[in-house]
Amino acid sequence: MKKLKRTLAFLLSATLLGCGGGGGGSSTPSGGPTRYEDSWPIYAALAPGVSSYANKNDTRIVRSQIDDIRALGITLDANESNSVASSLTLGDFYQEGQLSSFVVVNRGAGQVGKVYFLRWKDGTKWVDDTARILSNRNACIASQYAITADFNHDGKPDVFLSCGGGSEEEQLIFLSSPSSSSYSRVSTGIVIKGNRAAAADLDGDSYPDVVLSNKEGVSNPSSVLVLKGGGDGKFVNPPTSWLTNCTTSSGSFTPQEIPVKVDQVFLVPTTGGRTDLIVSGESGAGAKNQMWFRNQGRAPYFTNCENTATSAKLFSASLVNSSDAVLTDVFYSTLSGTSSLYAYMQTSNGTVAGLQKFVIQNDATLNLNLLSNVFTAPTQPSSGFPSMFRLNSSNQLIPFDASCGGVAAGTRCGLTFTLQ
């Protein structure tokens, strides 16, 4: 009988892996149990992926177009306003066999935002169950971007929150407890104008390392910070630089400068099991908007120096021949056996956006072929373009957004690209 019960529990949990859904529809089998209140957890927990890229593009996610907090029927404080669209990240935070959402909600001017851990209740709606796992719900004054990874090596998903807008702020981690179901708000000591973060194991020690963008930061002048993770939720500057910028010519190659005022950083799994770095920012004297750094497999992991056959070349691209293109999301695919990068770009004013495909022609030197006419920039949705997408199992890019108003055609969260 015990064996039969375990088998039934496993079969039920297998049907619920993708329950990190959005605004409607049922993912619970007819007559299935309620996974809420005092009955949880009753299903095997879902382990986080090895990188923030893997967690964002997790094929177990059914929907990532989350309606704004005010449309979810959740009771809000008087000073709470709207959800931060780019603060969405998912993971099995409740260790119950389904994906939950982390979202930050803005408060009044100059006030810190409020953290919400949303659980998917009965396959029908998102509910605020934050109090079960988190007591200090303060986010940043200007919460920018959230990622999921296992930063303290306990098998549970943690959240790194990038902070900083008009002024510098301390970056935050919401760290799981190895011995309980709770989370703690942890200060990192990293004070920058953070806009975006990415996490992956760069040095092979099984602990996620972090790359941060630092646009116009003063306390730390580096535009891109590459930090070593210690497996305890803390990060340090590595003993040797993990990102070097060549400023002089080497042979026949004159290196391009790293974009100035970098506001986007991406760690993307590419060919041969590598994790490459892609950054986007403003162009300047000798600098392009976007650059791709090939992971060298040793320190310095990322460099724009070209001294040996294994050194990185760069890629530079702009949207619709615009010099102010901003790369806001990037994906790697081997569709039809071709290794390609798909770059989602917007103009700085957000009025034009589109997807460009770069075919990796020579992985040893990172030669790229820009297929500029593969996609036509779509008409701007009524509520503006989304800044983030996720790659699903059907080779589609689906909006990854925490401030949707439904997914109707012509709206921001109704925009979808099919990779070609």
Side-chain angles (χ1 to χ4, degrees), residues 119-283:
R119 296 182 64 240
W120 186 240
K121 181 181 177 181
D122 298 338
T124 60
K125 64 180 180 180
W126 292 109
V127 295
D128 174 23
D129 208 10
T130 313
R132 280 186 179 267
I133 59 174
L134 180 69
S135 57
N136 186 346
R137 300 176 65 168
N138 287 337
C140 325
I141 295 175
S143 301
Q144 299 292 333
Y145 186 75
I147 59 173
T148 297
D150 182 7
F151 294 114
N152 61 353
H153 207 57
D154 66 351
K156 303 176 185 178
D158 307 302
V159 175
F160 191 104
L161 181 62
S162 293
C163 306
S167 60
E168 294 180 317
E169 289 194 66
E170 186 171 31
Q171 312 304 286
L172 301 175
I173 298 182
F174 293 86
L175 201 64
S176 62
S177 169
S179 58
S180 70
S181 59
S182 65
Y183 279 76
S184 299
R185 180 187 186 274
V186 177
S187 300
T188 65
I190 305 169
V191 180
I192 59 175
K193 286 187 179 179
N195 186 72
R196 192 155 185 147
D201 178 16
L202 300 177
D203 57 351
D205 63 0
S206 299
Y207 304 144
D209 308 300
V210 172
V211 177
L212 305 174
S213 64
N214 180 29
K215 187 173 184 178
E216 300 180 293
V218 176
S219 300
N220 191 321
S222 299
S223 186
V224 181
L225 279 69
V226 186
L227 303 175
K228 176 178 172 57
D232 56 359
K234 298 179 181 179
F235 304 93
V236 297
N237 289 319
T240 58
S241 175
W242 284 6
L243 173 61
T244 61
N245 179 31
C246 287
T247 57
T248 59
S249 298
S250 173
S252 60
F253 174 69
T254 301
Q256 300 178 72
E257 295 291 334
I258 294 174
V260 295
K261 299 180 181 179
V262 170
D263 56 9
Q264 304 287 336
V265 292
F266 308 90
L267 288 173
V268 182
T270 60
T271 60
R274 279 200 330 266
T275 298
D276 293 342
L277 172 65
I278 299 171
V279 303
S280 178
E282 296 180 14
S283 58

Side-chain angles (χ1 to χ4, degrees), residues 243-246 293-294 296 300-305 311-312 314:
L243 173 61
T244 61
N245 179 31
C246 287
F293 297 91
R294 184 185 193 274
Q296 306 300 298
Y301 290 92
F302 307 112
T303 175
N304 63 343
C305 304
S311 290
L314 319 173

Side-chain angles (χ1 to χ4, degrees), residues 371-393:
L371 303 182
S372 59
N373 296 319
V374 172
F375 296 100
T376 301
T379 302
Q380 183 179 12
S382 57
S383 52
F385 287 102
S387 62
M388 302 188 305
F389 291 81
R390 68 176 174 89
L391 180 61
N392 67 15
S393 58

